[in-house]
Amino acid sequence: MQEFHLVPDRTKEIYMSYYGQEICPPGHLYGPAMRDHFLYVYVVKGKGVYRAGGRTWPLSGGQAFVLFPERLTMYRADDDDPWEYKWFGFGGAGAGETLAAGGIDTEHPIVTHRRPERMLRLFDDLLRYRRANEAADRLFFDGITRLLLAEICAQNEAEAETARGRGREELYIEQAKNFMQMHCDKPIRVEHVARYTGLERSYFTKLFKAGTGMAPYEYIMRLRFDNGKRLL
């Protein structure tokens, strides 16, 4: 693991306090715990889950999750395909407002990056930076923090526009399919998938069948059958 700490000016509207990267060992776990700042965790590759507010989100490469101040959270890397991720911690009076303007809050803490190369390029710039002098460092970290947040908000707004254009029902179905594809090798049940989408089980089952022509459990069985054939 690499982690670099700063001495931020906490009177600023937005500031970065630390950043880093790690290739997680299998089953790597953090929490349950609270923080006094925001933390943005970008998943480069691998699988894992993030839990907060009684909800669980599975995450893989190209996705990210936000930890909010004074909120109990937990995250865990997969046993078989653990995460590699990068992160930065930040705060300031304007941090929460900036995220909220981009549609990111405690009920919507997940961001999917449709153009992950842009986020990776910013993290590369951050991780490769070599401290120079106080003035140069201050300008660099102020700038890179705002560039990272701008990219995060832009990607999340693009995701929201996609959802509005395609319809909320289609988004629920796609989320469910992605969840089932990621976890079909585990003993998941329909209620697990419904809980992930945030829908009541019976409504989710009707919605999924109307959109795909098959019940959720049939879709799970088909995925397992297809995976079994590929292993033969």
Side-chain angles (χ1 to χ4, degrees):
M1 181 180 78
Q2 289 181 301
E3 187 165 85
F4 305 91
H5 290 261
L6 307 173
V7 182
D9 179 353
R10 297 180 184 273
T11 64
K12 290 183 177 179
E13 183 183 17
I14 296 175
Y15 59 82
M16 182 182 293
S17 51
Y18 63 96
Y19 57 96
Q21 62 183 350
E22 182 175 16
I23 299 174
C24 296
H28 175 69
L29 174 68
Y30 182 89
M34 290 186 185
R35 299 170 182 268
D36 63 357
H37 56 275
F38 294 91
L39 176 64
Y40 193 83
V41 182
Y42 176 79
V43 179
V44 179
K45 59 183 178 180
K47 299 177 183 177
V49 296
Y50 171 56
R51 293 177 186 156
R55 294 183 65 186
T56 300
W57 292 269
L59 293 140
S60 56
Q63 293 183 293
F65 55 98
V66 181
L67 284 73
F68 286 80
E70 310 307 328
R71 186 168 174 82
L72 190 65
T73 58
M74 185 278 287
Y75 51 94
R76 185 180 187 277
D78 190 74
D79 290 327
D80 301 319
D81 186 14
W83 283 325
E84 175 184 343
Y85 52 38
K86 304 175 188 290
W87 65 85
F88 70 101
F90 61 102
E97 182 180 344
T98 298
L99 291 175
I104 303 164
D105 55 31
T106 55
E107 294 301 312
H108 306 89
I110 308 303
V111 177
T112 298
H113 288 267
R114 299 298 182 185
R115 298 187 62 182
E117 70 279 1
R118 293 168 61 166
M119 200 66 184
L120 287 171
R121 187 162 55 245
L122 289 170
F123 267 113
D124 284 346
D125 289 343
L126 175 61
L127 289 159
R128 290 174 181 170
Y129 181 72
R130 295 295 175 261
R131 309 288 177 90
N133 56 63
E134 184 178 350
D137 292 351
R138 182 175 63 252
L139 289 167
F140 173 80
F141 287 112
D142 285 351
I144 197 73
T145 302
R146 292 178 180 277
L147 286 171
L148 284 163
L149 289 172
E151 180 62 22
I152 290 163
C153 291
Q155 288 294 313
N156 203 55
E157 179 59 25
E159 181 79 1
E161 285 291 340
T162 300
R164 288 193 288 268
R166 292 163 54 198
R168 188 173 296 275
E169 291 81 4
E170 290 183 15
L171 180 60
Y172 285 138
I173 291 170
E174 182 177 332
Q175 288 175 336
K177 285 182 175 180
N178 289 339
F179 180 87
M180 288 186 274
Q181 289 164 7
M182 288 176 58
H183 297 279
C184 66
D185 58 336
K186 297 180 174 62
I188 59 169
R189 299 192 297 272
V190 175
E191 53 262 36
H192 297 150
V193 187
R195 189 180 308 126
Y196 170 68
T197 62
L199 300 176
E200 190 271 328
R201 175 178 170 164
S202 61
Y203 175 72
F204 164 72
T205 299
K206 292 177 183 177
L207 179 68
F208 190 89
K209 188 167 186 178
T212 65
M214 65 178 70
Y217 77 88
E218 293 175 323
Y219 188 81
I220 294 171
M221 295 303 297
R222 191 183 76 175
L223 287 172
R224 289 172 175 163
F225 179 74
D226 291 344
N227 284 346
K229 286 198 301 183
R230 283 194 291 271
L231 294 174
L232 294 177

